[in-house]
Amino acid sequence: MTDEIPEVVIERLPLYVRTLELLVGAGQEVISSRELGDLLGVTPAQIRKDLSYFGRFGKQGRGYAIAALVGQLRSILGLDRRWRMALVGVGHLGRAILAYDGFARQGFDVALAFDADPRVVGTVIDGVPVHDIAVLPDELGRSPVDIGIIAVPARAAQAVADRLVECGIFSILNYAPATLRVPAPVHVRTVDPVLQLQSMTYYLKSAEADPVPSGA
Amino acid sequence: MTDEIPEVVIERLPLYVRTLELLVGAGQEVISSRELGDLLGVTPAQIRKDLSYFGRFGKQGRGYAIAALVGQLRSILGLDRRWRMALVGVGHLGRAILAYDGFARQGFDVALAFDADPRVVGTVIDGVPVHDIAVLPDELGRSPVDIGIIAVPARAAQAVADRLVECGIFSILNYAPATLRVPAPVHVRTVDPVLQLQSMTYYLKSAEADPVPSGA
DNA sequence: TCCTGTGAAGGCTTTCACAGCT
DNA sequence: AGCTGTGAAAGCCTTCACAGGA
């Protein structure tokens, strides 16, 4: 009964949370949709509509009590608990992920790691044990996680995704430059800065051809 | 006269290019919109519609000549040349970016770097000279770049973005967990895996409450 | 027969605009 | 007066469905 809230709305909520938490830290107690919209670069109507999917959090004439709203949104998003993640691939990128403390600071713990290279299997990196990818099902059975992180070469990414799905993983954060096909209930988010650069160049190119974008 | 091609379309083109290049490498010469759609998880109609914004690249009854299509798309996106980038922030993340060869392999060169820390200013990391952020305008005047990469702490990100914009930068790849406000002609793409995790947990949470997603 | 290119339809998302509460 | 919550309108994007070419 996940009553059809548009995915775009869900994807904006973390943005609201982040900015509201900054305001809490700054001591602000109340904010209007207009003010929050200005900070985020979205329209006030969009903020009000988004929030209205989940309840009535505001006070007419005043705005939203920031601390209370943050609490509600964190609870809606499931950010009121910690989440366990398994990392697959401990090459350059995987190691950077293990060394990064930003996930843990936000409640996401990398609990275990996997790799195919026998030279790293059995080691512990930044406190995280590295297992052989072959024992993925065993280890995830013993020590279940909520989220899988893929940090392997593109050519291996689909096979890893398939295995994670087989192990009952429903959420995948994919760092490989590959399009992953997964069954419907599984969610994939891909981190791919090259793809992002490759779409920005379209506008750079157009701008060069037409240095005054307003004209003609 | 950038005749209003929806941004979502532009953002899909690099995806098409990537998959088509894989097929070229595998020796395939022709592909139908249905086949490409299957590989990418999008509808054939969407692929045909997207491509139709730019021309008529297909042959009825046959499909698209892959090599030719890749060439067209790369040219449309501006991927038929190299692009110069400036990195701001050479902390952990910035160094990982400098060490990463994936940008250069795709035609994006980090030409120079900036930081505020006097201990790194003047050094050369992975072949890239690190300048003081204070001389950003001078250095970019001397050695212009097309794209700025922000890899500084969130609290400093907006100020860096403002400076890059002042220096005439129109494209920014932002790794800081911050919402950047920039004037209209400037494009920002943000890389923020935490935000992506924070929206996936919504679905994990719902699934736990309702283990059989299909039921009433 | 197979598949593209494309108007039209359909569906989804954003924005408007205002009743109603503080 | 100020601001929310929300139906309705507008706008945008995707999908349909088919004419027409190979």
Side-chain angles (χ1 to χ4, degrees), chain B residues 16-51:
Chain B
Y16 299 166
V17 169
R18 187 173 68 188
T19 296
L20 291 169
E21 284 178 338
L22 241 38
L23 295 170
V24 168
Q28 187 172 340
E29 292 180 1
V30 173
I31 195 167
S32 67
S33 59
R34 183 180 42 69
E35 202 180 342
L36 182 56
D38 287 346
L39 290 171
L40 285 165
V42 304
T43 64
Q46 178 153 86
I47 290 171
R48 294 201 301 275
K49 179 66 98 178
D50 284 355
L51 297 179

Side-chain angles (χ1 to χ4, degrees), chain B residues 113-118 120-122 129-137 139 163:
Chain B
F114 297 89
D115 203 290
D117 184 343
V120 294
V121 169
V130 181
H131 303 283
D132 193 308
I133 181 73
V135 299
L136 188 81
E139 288 298 330
R163 294 228 208 179

Side-chain angles (χ1 to χ4, degrees), chain A residues 54-99:
Chain A
F54 303 97
R56 302 152 65 104
F57 305 120
K59 283 216 177 10
Q60 285 156 324
R62 252 172 91 57
Y64 300 87
I66 300 177
L69 182 55
V70 166
Q72 294 275 4
L73 292 178
R74 290 188 65 93
S75 157
I76 289 163
L77 286 168
L79 304 179
D80 48 1
R81 51 159 287 190
R82 302 193 70 82
W83 295 93
R84 288 167 55 83
M85 310 194 291
L87 170 68
V88 183
V90 294
H92 270 92
L93 179 58
R95 281 160 203 267
I97 290 168
L98 289 171

Side-chain angles (χ1 to χ4, degrees), chain A residues 92-154:
Chain A
H92 270 92
L93 179 58
R95 281 160 203 267
I97 290 168
L98 289 171
Y100 177 56
D101 68 338
F103 287 136
R105 275 205 314 262
Q106 297 295 329
F108 296 89
D109 299 304
V110 180
L112 60 175
F114 297 89
D115 203 292
D117 184 343
R119 286 171 300 181
V120 294
V121 169
T123 65
V124 175
I125 304 180
D126 285 294
V128 178
V130 181
H131 302 284
D132 193 308
I133 180 73
V135 299
L136 187 81
D138 301 331
E139 290 297 331
L140 291 190
R142 187 171 314 160
S143 175
V145 302
D146 309 290
I147 299 165
I149 304 179
I150 298 181
V152 301

Side-chain angles (χ1 to χ4, degrees), chain A residues 1-2 5-7 10-11 14-15 18-19 37-41 54 74-79 81 83 85 96 100 102-103 106 108 146-147 170-173 175-179 181 185 187-206 208 210 213 215-216, chain B residues 1-2 5-7 10-11 14-15 18-19 37-41 54 74-79 81 83 85 96 100 102-103 106 108 146-147 170-173 175-179 181 185 187-206 208 210 213 215-216:
Chain A
M1 226 203 176
T2 311
I5 291 162
E7 182 147 359
I10 301 301
E11 287 174 359
L15 236 46
R18 187 173 69 189
T19 296
D38 287 346
L39 290 172
L40 286 164
F54 303 97
R74 290 188 65 93
S75 157
I76 289 163
L77 286 168
L79 304 179
R81 51 159 287 190
W83 295 93
M85 310 194 291
Y100 177 56
F103 287 136
Q106 297 295 329
F108 296 89
D146 309 290
I147 299 165
F170 287 96
S171 292
I172 295 175
L173 184 63
Y175 281 87
T179 302
R181 306 300 323 268
H187 287 259
V188 175
R189 298 277 189 276
T190 295
V191 178
D192 196 331
V194 167
L195 242 37
Q196 292 178 291
L197 289 172
Q198 288 178 329
S199 61
M200 280 200 294
T201 51
Y202 172 80
Y203 299 101
L204 286 174
K205 188 181 143 276
S206 312
E208 266 169 29
D210 173 21
Chain B
M1 232 206 174
T2 311
I5 290 162
E7 181 147 359
I10 302 301
E11 287 174 359
L15 236 44
R18 187 173 68 188
T19 296
D38 287 346
L39 290 171
L40 285 165
F54 304 97
R74 291 189 63 93
S75 156
I76 288 163
L77 286 168
L79 305 179
R81 51 159 286 191
W83 296 92
M85 309 193 291
Y100 177 56
F103 287 136
Q106 297 297 329
F108 296 90
D146 308 291
I147 298 166
F170 287 95
S171 292
I172 295 175
L173 184 63
Y175 280 87
T179 302
R181 306 298 326 268
H187 287 259
V188 175
R189 297 277 188 276
T190 295
V191 178
D192 195 332
V194 167
L195 242 36
Q196 292 178 290
L197 289 172
Q198 289 179 329
S199 63
M200 281 200 292
T201 51
Y202 172 79
Y203 300 99
L204 285 174
K205 187 181 143 277
S206 313
E208 266 168 30
D210 172 24

